[in-house]
Amino acid sequence: MTPMTTEEETTAPAGSARRALVGRLSWGLADQAASSISNFVVGLYVARSLGVTAFGVFSLAWVTYGVVLNVSRGLATDPLVVRFSGVPDASWRAAVARSTGTALGVGAAIGAACLLVGPALGGRVGPAFACLGVMLPGLLLQDAWRFSFFAAGSGRKAFVNDVVWGVALVPAMVVAARVGSVAAYLLAWGASATVAAGYGCLQSGIRPRLTGARGWLREQRDLGYRYLVENVSLSGASQLRAYGLGAIVGIGAVGAVRGAELLMGPFLAVLMGLSLVTVPEAARVLRRAPRRLGSFCLLLGGGQAAAALLWGGALLLMPDRLGELALGSVWHSASQLIVPIALGVAGAGLGTGAAAGLRALGAARRSLRSQLFASVCYVGGGLGGAAVAGTVGSAWGVAAATVSGSAVWWLHLRSARREHHEDPIREERTP
């Protein structure tokens, strides 16, 4: 089932449609800029304040959050974006109430598990995981509001919500700096997100319905569970690589990789900002001009890959003094990873174009296969490279794996488009 289209959408002049597209993409970039700037500043502040080892602990909690976030997106917001982008307001509101309730429930359930696991882990990592567990419900609900607003074409509201998070983050970080621990920074980051999550309820006038989560999961199971596996394989691969790298090379290596990723932060903001709107836009292209989907996805992926390479080239020219000002002691180890990290991000950017097309087509089975292949390559390349050549070898292994995974995404998109053209009125739900 594809989202409904309005009469205005199908009859609007081409110039008007292009302006609307540019407007939606602009709000996606603005929103992700607000979100990524906050995360970027937090990462830099923690790296400079706590050093490479403590920053490695913070990074382990961060990648764990990424796994949980993708669980929430797969079950709650990815089906929402695919099936309720551009639908009538009443349908959107009913779906959002259940979708955000699902996200809140995921946060509460996994957060409780983190609270139990944290004390058992002990050391530096245990308190960090316990604090993450406390903050997960607010973090996941805030993210769910962003996707809900973009599904409705209201990117401005998502942007405002992320600005509220950033503003709330300032006093929270001041308090955390006085404490000076990883746990304090995690609590500050999560508490400010919870403020923004509460504001999202006011913006939308919708209360998340925890009681609607079971019905939502049942109705969206054909997409939701496949997207869950797909998303978790992506973030889970990142987490396995981080844990494995820490075991093979040391916790400091995790901090070095995270530092190099922070250097790519401004470009990653663009990449993730576009990802907020690419699936809804690809769905609109599919409804209005199905044969243009391939060129749309190619332009999207190719543009992101080229931009990543340009940003990586600029980083290579950055003076050491400026790098040390940004990352402190993390700079020396992170700077050695710029080339492979940039190539890996370019490969990921190219693949996102194909991924958006598969999501728009509702080809969850092909999308899942592509992601599983890419994730296996990512873990194998990252850990194999670490065993052979340490942190640098891990970065190059991930770069090669990401480029290979991108090729598989495009092969599956080509097959899915061919199937769609042969049977354009097929039901998008798969058994």
Side-chain angles (χ1 to χ4, degrees), residues 40 43-44 47 52 55 59 252-265 315 327 330-331 333-335 337-338 341:
F40 185 63
L44 290 182
V52 68
F55 187 56
S59 299
V254 181
V257 170
R258 177 61 185 156
E261 291 171 347
L262 281 174
L263 293 174
M264 294 294 295
L315 288 176
L327 291 179
V330 179
W331 162 253
S333 51
S335 62
L337 310 179
I338 290 175
I341 291 288

Side-chain angles (χ1 to χ4, degrees), residues 57-69 107 110-115 118 125-140 182-183 185-187 189-190 239 243:
V57 174
F58 182 86
S59 299
L60 287 177
W62 189 285
V63 297
T64 302
Y65 158 71
V67 175
V68 180
L69 182 65
I110 301 182
C114 288
L115 283 172
V125 176
F129 273 74
C131 292
L132 177 64
V134 172
M135 295 293 109
L136 277 176
L139 285 163
L140 298 190
V182 173
Y185 284 114
L186 285 169
L187 289 173
W189 171 58
Q239 189 175 25
Y243 289 161

Side-chain angles (χ1 to χ4, degrees), residues 30 41 79 102 106 112 117 136 177 188 246 254 278 286 307 324 327 330 341 395 420:
V41 170
T102 302
V106 169
V117 170
L136 277 176
V254 181
T278 50
L286 181 63
E324 291 169 357
L327 291 179
V330 179
I341 291 288
H420 182 82

Side-chain angles (χ1 to χ4, degrees), residues 19-347:
R19 285 192 297 272
L21 170 60
V22 170
R24 290 189 293 268
L25 290 175
S26 298
W27 280 119
L29 292 173
D31 170 72
Q32 189 58 48
S35 175
S36 294
I37 286 172
S38 297
N39 293 337
F40 185 63
V41 170
V42 169
L44 290 182
Y45 201 72
V46 175
R48 286 181 55 82
S49 301
L50 301 180
V52 68
T53 300
F55 187 56
V57 174
F58 182 86
S59 299
L60 287 177
W62 189 285
V63 297
T64 302
Y65 158 71
V67 175
V68 180
L69 182 65
N70 280 298
V71 171
S72 175
R73 288 179 177 177
L75 294 176
T77 53
D78 283 346
L80 177 78
V81 169
V82 170
R83 287 184 168 146
F84 294 92
S85 292
V87 301
D89 185 67
S91 298
W92 174 82
R93 294 179 69 84
V96 166
R98 293 183 296 157
S99 175
T100 53
T102 302
L104 192 58
V106 169
I110 301 182
C114 288
L115 283 172
L116 293 174
V117 170
L121 292 174
R124 286 184 167 188
V125 176
F129 273 74
C131 292
L132 177 64
V134 172
M135 295 293 109
L136 277 176
L139 285 163
L140 298 190
L141 180 58
Q142 192 275 338
D143 185 75
W145 286 126
R146 296 172 68 208
F147 281 82
S148 298
F149 292 140
F150 276 108
S154 302
R156 179 180 60 83
K157 290 185 177 180
F159 169 74
V160 171
N161 193 274
D162 269 320
V163 169
V164 169
W165 184 2
V167 171
L169 187 61
V170 174
M173 291 296 289
V174 170
V175 174
R178 293 180 179 176
V179 179
S181 68
V182 173
Y185 284 114
L186 285 169
L187 289 173
W189 171 58
S192 55
T194 302
V195 171
Y199 182 63
C201 298
L202 296 177
Q203 285 179 291
S204 62
I206 300 172
R207 292 184 180 180
R209 284 183 52 204
L210 273 170
T211 56
R214 180 177 297 179
W216 176 262
L217 293 174
R218 183 175 60 253
E219 293 171 14
Q220 309 301 327
R221 64 184 180 275
D222 59 315
L223 292 184
Y225 292 122
R226 285 195 174 105
Y227 288 157
L228 167 65
V229 176
E230 179 183 331
N231 290 355
V232 170
S233 70
L234 170 63
S235 53
S238 177
Q239 189 175 25
L240 286 174
R241 186 256 185 134
Y243 289 161
L245 185 61
I248 295 170
V249 185
I251 294 293
V254 181
V257 170
R258 177 61 185 156
E261 291 171 347
L262 281 174
L263 293 174
M264 294 294 295
F267 171 76
L268 290 173
V270 175
L271 181 67
M272 290 184 287
L274 289 173
S275 71
L276 290 169
V277 292
T278 50
V279 176
E281 293 307 322
R284 289 184 175 94
V285 170
L286 181 63
R287 291 198 302 270
R288 291 195 292 251
R291 295 191 179 278
R292 291 178 52 198
L293 181 65
S295 58
F296 173 82
C297 294
L298 183 60
L299 179 63
L300 179 68
Q304 291 177 90
L309 294 176
L310 289 173
W311 183 260
L315 288 176
L316 291 174
L317 302 177
M318 187 166 68
D320 287 340
R321 183 178 302 174
L322 184 58
E324 291 169 357
L325 179 64
L327 291 179
S329 60
V330 179
W331 162 253
H332 176 70
S333 51
S335 62
Q336 302 175 41
L337 310 179
I338 290 175
V339 173
I341 291 288
L343 289 173
V345 172

Side-chain angles (χ1 to χ4, degrees), residues 341-381:
I341 291 288
L343 289 173
V345 172
L350 184 62
T352 57
L358 285 173
R359 287 284 176 96
L361 288 164
R365 186 173 298 171
R366 289 191 176 278
S367 181
L368 175 59
R369 290 172 183 168
S370 301
Q371 188 56 65
L372 288 176
F373 176 84
S375 297
V376 170
C377 289
Y378 182 94
V379 174

